[in-house]
Amino acid sequence: MDIIEQNKIRMNRLSANSDGLLRQIQSLDWDELETALVECIFKKEESGLSDEYGPASYFPIIPENPVQKTLYEKAYKHGENLIREAKTSAFTVAGGQGTRLGYNGPKGTLPVSPIKAKPLFQMFAEQILGISRKYNVTIPWYIMCSPLNLEATTIHFKDNDFYGLGRDNLKFFAQGVMPATDFKGNLLLASKDSLALSPNGHGGSLKALIESGSVADMASRGVEHVSYFQVDNPLVSTINPLFIGLHDLQKSDMSSRSLTKTGPFEKLGNFVSTGDRISIIEYSDLPEEKALEKEADGRIKYRAGSPAIHILRRDFIEQFASGERKLPYHRAEKKVPHINENGKLITPTEPNAVKFETFVFDALPLAQNPLILEADRLEEFSPVKNKTGVDSLESSQSDQIKRARRWLENAGCKILDNCLIEISPLVFPSKIDIERKNFHNFDFKKNLIYLD
Ligand code: UTP
């Protein structure tokens, strides 16, 4: 391909005076770059879906009939057994650059809890440890970083004594990177010694789980299921018995949680189905007329949105090892600072470059027997993505406080209005754990409650 040859010639010339750049050029996977260029620049990106798709069906969070109720009870117990038998692991994707938030450091180190200012990583760690203790089991936790934040992430955990989980039960690894190009496919340089590189998207996690030895580690521990969640959602249920149980009972390769969208155009991926295949299409790819379609009862048809919470079977991930199964590249147009031919740093004010990313949800249409389980948004989803407004630290803290209040009020506690509340996930990893507690001797007449 001409553009690949042109890039090689130009990079050979530019790397003559830079060992750093030379090393990058030598280790660059040119075939992979060619694939990405073809998929994102030289051929119009296609969703791979015909227009024949319809809304995907899902298991509602509240069972709708006695048969479903019995199934959920069975699934919950089954999920608990799988957890107890050490068949589950937690997996966090934390390799993103968090540009919208603009926080200086790995996003997982951002303090988020409303009273104790616990970082995101601590919130997950405590929940995982709480569940491990409850089921008297070790739950290994795999954390995917990027080459840019791997070191800072591991230092954070070391400084915090791995939050009590034990060094051996945590595995940190870096995902792959891809070089950015201009809109014609020419590689960009971040400096005279380096290409402009960025993480290859959360879809890079499948390959990274294999190449880092994480999947082999899971196999040696007897782990069968990988509970996948993003680094930015402190409300996530990291290891959910009902979800795990349903997924395993249905022999699903990959299962997902869904949220009921707040409206037809909410910016969440949409679950759609063609036959027995489930896919997620981006909100921008759902045509307006489809987005507005309604059921007879008035609810929008395409109401199942994705909060990016999945369970994958370990042996399904292994199928991506040989390279025969691959995820497609998506084109992201971004502002990428770079140096020009004269070595001058250009800081664009408009998108000037293409970043190539793969998305983990593109594995869903390849999965056998996939299923979707609805999640209650107020209970399980309030991510920190933006500096202000929707999905910000402020909105997430407010949701954390509201959830804590609901949990306590459900358990029969009377709480003052405007009380600031935080519940330790170590002691109460889920709502059920609060319901089981007897609070008779606890004084709730306070303006601030930290429950641990
Ligand atoms: P987002 O799509 O929110 O991207 O990632 P981001 O990079 O964190 O934030 P912005 O868009 O730059 O503001 C969703 C999840 O996927 C992870 C992120 O860390 C987050 O948990 N992710 C994203 C990766 O692990 N690797 C990537 O290459 C991209």
Side-chain angles (χ1 to χ4, degrees), residues 92-102 107 144-146 149 175-176 198-205 228-233 308 334 355 357-359 384-386:
T92 308
V93 285
Q97 293 177 297
T99 36
R100 282 170 286 174
L101 185 65
K107 207 192 242 190
M144 183 180 81
C145 307
S146 78
N149 65 16
Q175 67 179 108
S198 50
N200 58 2
H202 41 64
S205 60
Y228 171 110
F229 54 92
Q230 303 196 148
V231 74
D232 48 26
N233 177 18
K334 301 270 176 167
K355 285 188 181 180
E357 296 190 342
T358 57
F359 298 154
V384 181
K385 300 240 182 230
N386 303 311

Side-chain angles (χ1 to χ4, degrees), residues 96 101 138 200 204 212 220 259 284 289 372:
L101 185 65
T138 297
N200 58 2
S212 63
S220 73
L259 296 176
S284 47
E289 62 277 12
I372 304 169

Side-chain angles (χ1 to χ4, degrees), residues 40-115:
C40 301
I41 294 190
F42 296 106
K43 189 176 90 182
K44 198 176 153 302
E45 196 177 332
E46 287 162 9
S47 68
L49 277 176
S50 69
D51 284 344
E52 299 303 306
Y53 64 81
S57 59
Y58 57 86
F59 286 102
I61 188 65
I62 313 251
E64 277 172 351
N65 52 53
V67 176
Q68 218 162 43
K69 187 162 179 285
T70 310
L71 172 67
Y72 284 19
E73 283 162 5
K74 182 173 164 199
Y76 193 93
K77 286 206 186 91
H78 184 60
E80 284 196 302
N81 285 339
L82 291 169
I83 299 168
R84 217 174 268 122
E85 290 161 10
K87 298 224 160 50
T88 60
S89 63
F91 175 42
T92 308
V93 285
Q97 293 177 297
T99 36
R100 282 170 286 174
L101 185 65
Y103 172 65
N104 188 15
K107 207 192 242 190
T109 65
L110 175 80
V112 288
S113 77
I115 296 177

Side-chain angles (χ1 to χ4, degrees), residues 178-199:
M178 281 295 283
T181 70
D182 66 15
F183 292 141
K184 292 184 179 146
N186 298 301
L187 288 166
L188 295 175
L189 292 183
S191 71
K192 70 178 184 28
D193 296 317
S194 178
L195 293 165
L197 298 170
S198 50

